[in-house]
């Protein structure tokens, strides 16, 4: 595990010069200490603190003063017995699954297209990444405007091609709202997937395609029989990374719908945020966030495995 | 003209079309921000703003006190985050790549796992901790919160850069009388400048666009970063889409400028940070 996970790329060619074991320099550790202390203080301590909160009865007063009473599993029983919590989990998984599916399909299509040789492709690839690095506050606002029922550009375009008749207020109706946030999220993530897949595509030797062509394979056949099997490790890594990142997304949905209309787009991060910062229930909010952590951390195990496999391949 | 050349030309045309359609939202933001209030509600919408109007910028953006304040706050927080991240992450990444440090695999795993944690998971306990430490509504608190995710990311991006510095070069510098520290400063850092720029750019952009920490840890309007200010304006501006798009352009502008000039650092860095440990 250690070797494959930690010596990627060029490192394989220039192994670090290691002195005999006895010569470990304790002074060298001073370089790492600040970072480790920082992560312990700003990530691990808050996480542990959060778990502690989830076992206490925290009222508004106790947020500042501390000293909340220990109530054991009571908050967990409360959350797990609430329909809203399960609803938020289902919406989260639905939203994440759909957004990842759309982003992956589009990202794959773009990667295959921009893997072909033609002038200007590098500039175009980079330009597409703009969608990804744009602050989500900005893109969410632009999508709200584009999806406006009466004057939005999306409806105008849909009407022009005959797919829509009359106004559709996307963000005011449950199913269209879910599709809207899925699409806006996928728009941001697609270029990132494209870049990850392009790196994988470039590793496939041209000779394989030449050989397939000689054997009479058409473009689609070459994609399904050469590209997809060889991209499998890269695909898996990209899918897992995208799933984890989308599952923890907060901004896009919060800014477009705040979880509404009703609870139609109430994903877990917004549910947990509301518990704490809208209703000042920091204890049940801590339960929701702690439970929420299971999905990304669980998947990260598979992610690390797929990373290792990709590097070994 | 050979078929190969013709094919490439058509592929290029297709590529331009795909790129244009994909970035339509970015264009629409810019176009709307340059329209007059009366023009944004014309049906069908005008694809090009005519006449081009800068009113949204000269009236709304410039005169709205909250926007200037938000931009200032975001600048302070983003610069602070970048400086602290570089100061903490660069030596750590170097040591994990090139020095005799224990638990390298474990630490790299830690820094990678940390990046999987949703920001809400940290924002909630941080609010309670910061409330007790009087750090809510402060630059220090917001910078610390941003660094919590920026530092692990920076280390994962930087370590491969330092691994590509040949160990022999550093050993040679030591034989010539460098200490570990001066070998790091005078030999390893200068050859890793592209990596340092990448990390600085990504830290800055991340903090500039950050929303959750700003929302949770800055309830005082005077301390809110521009992203939170913009989110607040979406309610108060209602259907003044041209004004809202103008503010959005201003928020996106530093990102776009950095992107145009430094995109090669961003593209390489982001993929390296995401897939390498």
């Amino acid at each position: 595990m250690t070797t494959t996970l930690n010596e990627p790329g060029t490192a394989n060619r220039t192994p670090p010069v290691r002195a005999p074991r006895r010569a470990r320099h304790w002074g060298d550790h001073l370089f790492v200490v600040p970072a480790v202390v920082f992560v312990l203080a700003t990530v691990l301590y808050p996480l542990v603190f959060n778990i502690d909160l989830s076992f206490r009865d925290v009222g508004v007063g106790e947020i500042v003063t501390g000293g909340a009473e220990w109530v054991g599993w009571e908050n967990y029983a409360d959350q797990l017995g609430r329909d809203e919590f399960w609803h938020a989990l289902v919406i989260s998984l639905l939203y994440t699954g759909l957004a990842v599916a759309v982003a992956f399909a589009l990202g794959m299509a773009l990667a295959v297209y921009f893997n072909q040789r033609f002038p200007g492709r590098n500039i175009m690839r980079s330009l597409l990444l703009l969608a990804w690095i744009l602050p989500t506050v900005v893109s969410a606002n632009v999508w709200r405007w584009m999806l406006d029922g009466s004057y939005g550009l999306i409806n105008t375009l849909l009407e022009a091609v005959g797919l829509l008749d009359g106004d559709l207020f996307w963000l005011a109706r449950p199913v269209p709202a879910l599709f809207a946030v899925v699409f806006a999220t996928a728009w941001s993530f697609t270029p990132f997937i494209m870049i990850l897949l392009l790196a994988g595509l470039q590793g496939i030797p041209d000779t394989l395609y030449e050989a397939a062509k000689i054997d009479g394979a058409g473009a689609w056949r070459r994609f399904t029989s050469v590209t997809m099997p060889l991209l499998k490790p890269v695909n898996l890594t990209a899918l897992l990374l995208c799933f984890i990142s989308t599952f923890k997304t907060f901004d896009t949905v919060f800014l477009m719908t705040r979880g509404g209309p009703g609870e139609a787009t109430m994903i877990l991060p917004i549910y947990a945020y509301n518990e704490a910062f809208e209703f000042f229930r920091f204890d049940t909010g801590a339960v929701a966030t702690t439970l929420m952590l299971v999905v990304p951390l669980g998947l990260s195990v598979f992610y690390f495995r797929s990373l290792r496999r990709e590097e070994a391949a | 003209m050979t078929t190969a050349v013709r094919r490439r030309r058509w592929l290029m045309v297709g590529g331009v079309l795909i790129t244009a359609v994909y970035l339509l939202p970015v264009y629409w933001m810019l176009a709307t921000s340059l329209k007059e209030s009366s023009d944004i509600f014309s049906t069908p919408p005008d694809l090009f703003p005519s006449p081009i109007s800068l009113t949204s910028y000269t009236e709304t953006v410039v005169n709205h006190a909250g926007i200037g304040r938000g931009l200032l706050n975001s600048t302070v927080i983003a610069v602070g985050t970048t400086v602290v991240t570089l100061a903490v992450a660069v030596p750590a990444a170097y040591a994990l790549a090139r020095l005799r440090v224990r638990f390298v695999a474990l630490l790299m795993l830690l820094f990678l796992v940390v990046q999987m944690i949703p920001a809400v998971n940290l924002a909630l306990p941080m609010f309670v901790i910061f409330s007790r430490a009087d750090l809510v509504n402060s630059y220090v608190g917001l910078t610390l919160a941003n660094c919590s995710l920026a530092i692990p990311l920076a280390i994962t991006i930087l370590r491969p850069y330092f691994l590509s510095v040949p160990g022999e070069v550093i050993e040679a510098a030591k034989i010539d009388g460098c200490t570990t520290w001066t070998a790091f400063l005078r030999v390893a850092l200068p050859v890793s400048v592209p990596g340092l720029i990448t990390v600085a750019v990504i830290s800055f952009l991340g903090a500039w666009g950050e929303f959750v920490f700003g929302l949770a840890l800055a309830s005082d309007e005077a301390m809110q970063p521009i992203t939170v200010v913009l989110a607040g304006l979406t309610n108060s501006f209602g259907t003044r889409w041209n004004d809202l798009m103008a503010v959005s352009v201003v928020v996106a502008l530093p990102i776009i400028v950095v992107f145009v000039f430094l995109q090669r650092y961003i593209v390489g860095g982001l993929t390296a940070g995401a897939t390498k440990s």
Side-chain angles (χ1 to χ4, degrees):
Chain A
M1 172 171 173
T2 47
T3 46
T4 45
L5 208 83
N6 289 288
E7 320 284 294
T10 47
N12 296 337
R13 268 168 272 130
T14 54
V17 180
R18 286 208 189 271
R21 280 211 153 236
R22 58 172 172 78
R24 281 194 193 281
H25 294 197
W26 282 103
D28 290 2
H29 287 80
L30 291 177
F31 282 73
V32 197
V33 168
V36 173
V37 169
F38 208 99
V39 171
L40 289 179
T42 61
V43 181
L44 294 186
Y45 174 63
L47 281 184
V48 172
F49 190 89
N50 200 36
I51 292 171
D52 180 71
L53 277 183
S54 72
F55 287 108
R56 290 175 189 277
D57 180 20
V58 187
V60 178
E62 280 109 8
I63 294 170
V64 184
T65 58
E69 192 197 339
W70 184 270
V71 293
W73 294 97
E74 206 174 281
N75 296 324
Y76 283 86
D78 172 65
Q79 279 300 300
L80 294 174
R82 255 200 243 178
D83 288 344
E84 290 91 341
F85 173 80
W86 295 105
H87 175 81
L89 179 65
V90 170
I91 294 289
S92 254
L93 292 175
L94 197 61
Y95 158 77
T96 309
L98 287 172
V100 170
V102 173
F104 189 78
L106 282 175
M108 176 64 84
L110 288 175
V112 169
Y113 191 92
F114 285 100
N115 193 40
Q116 301 173 103
R117 258 177 269 277
F118 57 89
R121 66 168 180 166
N122 287 332
I123 297 169
M124 293 175 207
R125 277 182 200 167
S126 306
L127 275 176
L128 287 173
L129 265 185
L130 195 57
W132 197 63
I133 64 155
L134 214 57
T136 28
V137 190
V138 170
S139 46
N141 255 319
V142 178
W143 282 111
R144 280 181 60 240
W145 166 222
M146 303 246 311
L147 292 164
D148 184 72
S150 310
Y151 306 103
L153 188 64
I154 297 288
N155 281 0
T156 308
L157 294 174
L158 289 177
E159 277 167 36
V161 294
L163 283 173
L164 182 71
D165 191 23
D167 294 353
L168 170 58
F169 286 86
W170 288 87
L171 301 178
R173 289 175 48 189
V175 176
L178 185 62
F179 278 112
V181 293
V182 161
F183 195 77
T185 308
W187 183 76
S188 300
F189 274 105
T190 296
F192 181 56
I193 302 231
M194 175 192 77
I195 293 291
L196 291 181
L197 296 182
L198 268 170
L201 283 174
Q202 275 151 13
I204 302 177
D206 283 342
T207 46
L208 287 179
Y209 288 107
E210 303 295 334
K213 232 182 213 175
I214 292 164
D215 290 344
W220 179 250
R221 188 67 210 269
R222 289 200 296 275
F223 177 73
T224 54
S225 303
V226 180
T227 311
M228 283 311 266
L230 286 166
L231 266 191
K232 210 172 158 194
V234 181
N235 283 345
L236 190 64
T237 309
L239 277 171
L240 282 167
L241 189 65
C242 189
F243 196 96
I244 294 169
S245 313
T246 311
F247 186 81
K248 61 182 191 159
T249 296
F250 174 87
D251 325 16
T252 311
V253 184
F254 184 81
L255 291 156
M256 286 178 73
T257 65
R258 296 208 169 223
E263 310 268 291
T265 56
M266 186 58 75
I267 52 172
L268 259 183
I270 297 184
Y271 174 82
Y273 176 86
N274 284 347
E275 281 292 294
F277 292 98
E278 288 289 316
F279 309 122
F280 290 102
R281 294 195 288 251
F282 275 80
D283 43 12
T284 48
V287 172
T289 44
T290 303
L291 292 173
M292 182 168 83
L293 210 52
V294 171
V295 175
L297 289 191
L299 285 175
S300 69
V301 173
F302 294 99
Y303 173 65
F304 296 139
R305 259 195 221 157
S306 77
L307 266 190
R308 248 191 302 157
R309 220 167 287 150
E310 194 185 324
E311 261 156 29
Chain B
M1 198 157 61
T2 65
T3 42
V5 171
R6 198 174 299 152
R7 186 179 135 81
R8 279 177 194 189
R9 190 157 295 178
W10 278 114
L11 282 172
M12 185 179 75
V13 172
V16 170
L17 279 176
I18 291 171
T19 311
V21 168
Y22 204 84
L23 294 179
L24 190 65
V26 180
Y27 168 75
W28 201 236
M29 166 175 77
L30 195 64
T32 309
S33 76
L34 295 171
K35 285 182 181 177
E36 285 178 357
S37 304
S38 53
D39 290 343
I40 53 176
F41 297 123
S42 55
T43 40
D46 304 318
L47 281 181
F48 305 99
S50 75
I52 287 183
S53 155
L54 290 171
T55 326
S56 290
Y57 294 92
T58 54
E59 300 286 320
T60 311
V61 173
V62 174
N63 291 329
H64 195 291
I67 295 171
R69 184 72 206 185
L71 289 170
L72 174 72
N73 291 340
S74 283
T75 309
V76 173
I77 296 163
V79 170
T81 303
T82 310
V83 171
V84 175
T85 299
L86 284 175
V88 174
V90 173
Y94 174 70
L96 289 166
R98 278 286 163 250
L99 297 183
R100 293 173 208 104
V101 174
R102 309 190 69 168
F103 310 120
V104 173
L106 191 70
L107 287 173
M108 288 315 293
L109 196 65
L110 171 74
F111 293 131
L112 205 57
V113 172
V114 162
Q115 294 173 49
M116 310 290 166
I117 297 169
V120 183
N121 271 60
L122 298 178
L124 193 154
M126 272 180 184
F127 178 79
V128 181
I129 297 167
F130 286 4
S131 294
R132 292 174 189 173
D134 210 15
L135 284 172
V136 174
N137 290 314
S138 73
Y139 287 139
V140 174
L142 287 164
T143 306
L144 279 177
N146 274 290
C147 286
S148 68
L149 297 178
I151 288 174
L153 175 65
I155 294 173
T156 42
I157 293 175
L158 269 175
R159 188 168 174 267
Y161 279 95
F162 286 124
L163 277 174
S164 65
V165 179
E168 294 85 349
V169 177
I170 293 158
E171 291 303 315
K174 282 194 180 164
I175 290 163
D176 290 345
C178 279
T179 62
T180 307
W181 182 244
T182 50
F184 164 63
L185 286 181
R186 294 196 195 143
V187 182
L189 279 192
V191 296
S192 309
V193 168
L196 301 181
I197 296 175
T198 301
V199 164
V201 168
I202 288 174
S203 306
F204 183 87
L205 295 186
W208 183 267
E210 202 286 323
F211 179 70
V212 182
F213 292 134
L215 187 71
L217 304 175
S219 48
D220 180 0
E221 278 181 21
M223 289 307 296
Q224 285 171 348
I226 189 66
T227 47
V228 179
V229 174
L230 174 59
L233 293 179
T234 56
N235 297 323
S236 59
F237 277 15
T239 54
R240 284 158 60 194
W241 292 109
N242 52 339
D243 291 347
L244 205 54
M245 290 302 111
V247 185
S248 302
V249 170
V250 171
V251 178
L253 206 60
I255 306 262
I256 294 175
V257 169
V258 168
F259 181 74
V260 168
F261 289 103
L262 300 171
Q263 52 98 353
R264 66 194 178 99
Y265 296 107
I266 302 174
V267 177
L270 285 180
T271 45
T275 54
K276 299 222 172 90
S277 49

